[in-house]
Amino acid sequence: MIVGGVAGGMSAATRLRRLDEEASIIVLERSGHVSYANCGLPYFVGGVIEDEDDLLLQTPERLFDRFRLDVRVGSEVVAIDPATHTVAVRATGGGATSELPYDALVLSPGAAPLRPPLPGFDRVRVLRTVEDAEQLAGRARGAPRTAVVIGAGFVGLETAENLAGWGIRTTVVEAAEQVLTPLDPELAVLVAAELVAQGVAVETGVGVAEVTASGVVLADGRTIPGDLVVAAIGVRPDARLAEMAGLALGPHGGIAVDADGRTSAADVYAVGDAVEKADSIGVGSSLIALANIANRQGRRVADAICGRNVRPAPSQGTAIVKVFAVTAAMTGWNERRLRAEGRTYRVIHSHPMSHAAYFPGAEPMSLKLLFDPEDGAILGAQAVGGSGVDKRIDVLATAMAAGLRADGLADLELAYAPPFSSAKDPVNMLGYMAENLMSGECDVVEANELASLVASGWTLLDVRSEDEHAAGAIPGSRNVPLDALREGLGALGPGPFIVYCEVGQRGHTATMLLHELGIAARNLDGGYRTWRSADAAAAGDPHRLVRAEVPL
Ligand SMILES: Cc1cc2nc3c(=O)[nH]c(=O)nc-3n(C[C@H](O)[C@H](O)[C@H](O)COP(=O)(O)OP(=O)(O)OC[C@H]3O[C@@H](n4cnc5c(N)ncnc54)[C@H](O)[C@@H]3O)c2cc1C
């Protein structure tokens, strides 16, 4: 018996059938559809996916024909009795309840959108089901002039892009200080800059106090016009049924499960957004609502039910999102979380091109790697840019899952030809940089350390060309281009120096040269480009990056 017929539930059902032709498998689904592509819903709203049928990957009839699954849509499970091994089910929306027995029960009820108790919130739309998408798409096509999207997470930003695509003047409002909180601020601001550049207004660091007939009122009293208001402020695990049945919940309110997906009740399993996941870095569990994990867990739980050995598969939170022309992706923990958990870590920023710069079409990206300086363990990675971001994060996520050290990235033999990469792939380059740091060959300074070092007597030295320096530089820095450094040192004083260039590469060469000459120097990690985004993030002003039209 399976409750919930989408990602986790349907993966479990079809895997069970492949493993056991004799089993009677019933899937109970509350909505009118099974196996629908909820990840595609924002693109249906935007008209990118034109035909609603393209979202419906399966029908009950097709699932019966191929897998002999008994799929019952419009059937809501309202109670579970683990003692008698029965569930109570009724037609969605009301009606009589009947009892169905199970030998094994898989819960995959997903998550429910958060709905804060705000005045006027009943005016707000959410995007969770095909029915929600139909309604929102209808409204979007009805030519509203303005829209407000509350929440700048993955779904919020995808929705904003798709509403803006209809020519609707759209504002994203986010209570946190930045968009996309899984990213650290200096990468998130690049995404905010793209939104702003595409005409979407971004309000961060301010919550919504009230939803009115004509938009929203912010906590600071300003009003934002919105003929249409959509909320995507996150989800909570839908653990109501489990809780009512007395199943143990985890510390974050999700259903507690072991490595096989077993809950605290005999023969009851749970998967997907509703459960707490073992964390690949820390001890304990976290809530991660992602389709890959739900599908993986659905397959594994079917294996466990059929008596197969199941490998533990902790979760890293690898995710990706497209925001207009920019892709943002991440895996593992961000710096904020590492700091909060008291972990020791080092940071590397780089700004490579997606493929050989001399080959047409190369696009810039910004990469960030977080690792343990003692054992080299990769703790997290983030990327924002154009093409090639997805590949780099997936390689880094794989390296992390495989337990590769950060400096071991230098040795990865990755596919190369000019249209695809560079002979030293951006991931290799992160490995070289990690090696330099771990071996003590070269030390770096982070942008947020500059002020205190300068105050204690360090000199900021820009080794870019005079033209680059004139076009924009860190205030207070002196300029001696790298090629003139040997001759120009005399005029600079004894140091110590914080060296920087555009992205960190010339700065590294200059730092090594200064070391050779017996002069104390540290390189600014990620160079001027990282400093600029850290500066814009600290000021909460993505427009600074848009105005200068600085590449990512
Ligand atoms: C708009 C949107 C975009 C997304 N985009 C991405 C993306 O790009 N990448 C990504 O990784 N993830 C994305 N996700 C998240 C992803 O869809 C979920 O992580 C995944 O679907 C979770 O699978 P699940 O089986 O746990 O729950 P779901 O797929 O949500 O399925 C749960 C089902 O259970 C049913 N149900 C609940 N309670 C009952 C009950 N009592 N009786 C019967 N049926 C019940 C519900 O109707 C629902 O159909 C997106 C989600 C949304 C909403």
Side-chain angles (χ1 to χ4, degrees), residues 10 68 70 92 104 122 133 149 182 206 214 220 234-235 259 275 279 289-290 299 330 423 448 541:
M10 206 46 83
R68 293 294 184 270
D70 178 354
T92 302
D122 50 340
V149 177
V206 61
S214 58
D220 60 13
V235 292
V275 308
D279 196 292
L290 289 170
R299 176 185 166 97
M330 67 287 299
N448 60 9
D541 184 9

Side-chain angles (χ1 to χ4, degrees), residues 154-166:
F154 299 97
V155 176
L157 296 191
E158 287 176 347
T159 304
E161 175 182 343
N162 280 287
L163 292 177
W166 288 110

Side-chain angles (χ1 to χ4, degrees), residues 369-394:
L369 182 72
L370 296 146
F371 65 98
D372 186 317
E374 298 302 323
D375 62 11
I378 299 171
L379 302 172
Q382 301 163 35
V384 176
S387 65
V389 160
D390 53 346
K391 173 162 84 165
R392 274 49 187 231
I393 281 296
D394 279 347

Side-chain angles (χ1 to χ4, degrees), residues 7-223:
M10 206 46 83
S11 288
T14 50
R15 175 74 173 164
L16 272 170
R17 171 57 74 228
R18 288 189 197 100
L19 296 178
D20 186 347
E21 181 56 21
E22 300 303 316
S24 155
I25 303 170
I26 300 176
V27 181
L28 300 170
E29 167 56 48
R30 177 170 62 189
S31 76
H33 306 281
V34 280
S35 221
Y36 55 87
N38 30 17
C39 306
L41 298 181
Y43 300 99
F44 178 66
V45 171
V48 178
I49 298 169
E50 291 175 7
D51 188 348
E52 186 184 321
D53 286 347
D54 290 341
L55 295 171
L56 306 175
L57 307 177
Q58 284 293 351
T59 61
E61 295 71 30
R62 289 211 300 268
L63 288 162
F64 178 79
D65 289 347
R66 180 150 307 169
F67 296 104
R68 293 294 184 270
L69 297 179
D70 178 354
V71 177
R72 305 181 190 180
V73 293
S75 300
E76 180 172 18
V77 173
V78 291
I80 304 165
D81 186 347
T84 57
H85 277 48
T86 54
V87 299
V89 59
R90 69 171 181 217
T92 302
T97 304
S98 57
E99 292 201 338
L100 290 174
Y102 64 81
D103 295 321
L105 177 67
V106 178
L107 303 176
S108 190
L114 288 172
R115 291 173 182 271
L118 282 177
F121 201 79
D122 50 340
R123 262 200 78 224
V124 170
R125 291 172 188 277
V126 295
L127 185 55
R128 186 77 209 167
T129 62
V130 176
E131 289 82 356
D132 294 336
E134 282 167 353
Q135 289 173 14
L136 193 53
R139 281 287 284 129
R141 284 166 173 80
R145 280 175 304 120
T146 55
V148 175
V149 177
I150 309 173
F154 299 97
V155 176
L157 296 191
E158 287 176 347
T159 304
E161 175 182 343
N162 280 287
L163 292 177
W166 288 110
I168 303 169
R169 199 148 51 82
T170 304
T171 305
V172 176
V173 180
E174 168 59 59
E177 296 294 332
Q178 62 170 76
V179 304
L180 283 184
T181 51
L183 291 174
D184 285 317
E186 75 280 17
L187 276 94
V189 74
L190 302 172
V191 179
E194 173 67 4
L195 286 161
V196 169
Q198 299 282 352
V200 172
V202 178
E203 296 285 350
T204 50
V206 61
V208 170
E210 186 185 348
V211 181
T212 64
S214 58
V216 301
V217 181
L218 301 182
D220 60 13
R222 284 179 296 147
T223 57

Side-chain angles (χ1 to χ4, degrees), residues 39 89 108 188 283 353 373-374 415 463 469 533:
C39 306
V89 59
S108 190
V283 286
M353 300 300 281
E374 298 302 323
V463 296
H469 183 76
S533 23

